[in-house]
C-alpha cells in the first residue's frame, strides 16, 4: 500500500465523494478544480492507498422494513484472544449486526443491530445471540429516535495518517 500525504485537493476529492459517491469524474474534477485526467489519477491513488475503502449505496433503514435499531452491550466470560476472535467471527456473520466494536470499560462489545420489530429482535436474541459461546451478559437498548447519522468524516483540518487506512 503506498504511503500518501494528503493535500487540500485530496481532501476536497474525499469530501465530495463522501457526499456523492456516484459523481462522474468530470463533475468531481470540476468541483475540486482539476482537469478530469489528474482528478482520476488522484482518485485511483486514494483507492490504491486504501483511503477510499469502497463505494456503497446507503439504504434508508425504515424504507426497507427495518425501522428498529438496538444497541447491545455484551460482556464475555473470558477475554482471551481466541475467545474474542471466536465471538467476533460469529457476530460478524449475522446480517442483522451492522456494527460491532470491541470496547473498553465494563462491557466487552457494543453492537448495533437492525430488525423489523420487537418479535424479530426476540428471534435474533433467542436463535443467534444467546447461542454464541462465552457470553456472560447481554444488555439491550432500543433507539427511540435517530437524531444524527452520517457516514461523512470531518476531513477539514483533520490530520490523516495513511498508516491507519484500511487495506
Amino acid at each position: 500500500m503506498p504511503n500518501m500525504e494528503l493535500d487540500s485537493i485530496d481532501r476536497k476529492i474525499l469530501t465530495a465523494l463522501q457526499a456523492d459517491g456516484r459523481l462522474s469524474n468530470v463533475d468531481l474534477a470540476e468541483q475540486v478544480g482539476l482537469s478530469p485526467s489528474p482528478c482520476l489519477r488522484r482518485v485511483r491513488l486514494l483507492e490504491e492507498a486504501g483511503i477510499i475503502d469502497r463505494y456503497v449505496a446507503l439504504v434508508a433503514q425504515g424504507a426497507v422494513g427495518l425501522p428498529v435499531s438496538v444497541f447491545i452491550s455484551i460482556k464475555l466470560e473470558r477475554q482471551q484472544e481466541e475467545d474474542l476472535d471466536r465471538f467476533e467471527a460469529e457476530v460478524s456473520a449475522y446480517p442483522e449486526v451492522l456494527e460491532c466494536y470491541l470496547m473498553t470499560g465494563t462491557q466487552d462489545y457494543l453492537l448495533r443491530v437492525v430488525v423489523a420489530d420487537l418479535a424479530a429482535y426476540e428471534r435474533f436474541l433467542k436463535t443467534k445471540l444467546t447461542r454464541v459461546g462465552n457470553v456472560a451478559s447481554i444488555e439491550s437498548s432500543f433507539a427511540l429516535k435517530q437524531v444524527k447519522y452520517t457516514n461523512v468524516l470531518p476531513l477539514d483540518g483533520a490530520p490523516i495518517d495513511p498508516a491507519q487506512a484500511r487495506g
Side-chain angles (χ1 to χ4, degrees), residues 135-147:
V135 172
S137 69
I138 299 170
E139 293 181 23
S140 305
S141 297
F142 291 82
L144 299 176
K145 175 174 122 179
Q146 185 179 71
V147 176

Side-chain angles (χ1 to χ4, degrees), residues 28-105:
L28 178 60
E30 186 176 307
Q31 278 191 32
V32 302
L34 291 176
S35 60
S37 184
C39 183
L40 183 59
R41 189 170 36 257
R42 282 179 178 250
V43 169
R44 294 234 167 95
L45 287 171
L46 291 166
E47 292 168 348
E48 290 168 10
I51 294 167
I52 295 177
D53 188 31
R54 65 188 176 275
Y55 298 90
V56 298
L58 298 176
V59 177
Q61 184 179 326
V64 294
L66 298 168
V68 179
S69 288
V70 188
F71 293 86
I72 306 168
S73 295
I74 305 286
K75 177 77 176 157
L76 300 180
E77 292 172 358
R78 295 172 312 279
Q79 293 81 20
Q80 295 171 335
E81 185 175 358
E82 59 271 9
D83 297 313
L84 300 176
D85 292 343
R86 190 175 313 111
F87 177 84
E88 291 171 12
E90 286 191 52
V91 298
S92 293
Y94 301 145
E96 299 91 343
V97 177
L98 297 189
E99 298 176 69
C100 176
Y101 299 94
L102 179 61
M103 305 295 291
T104 63

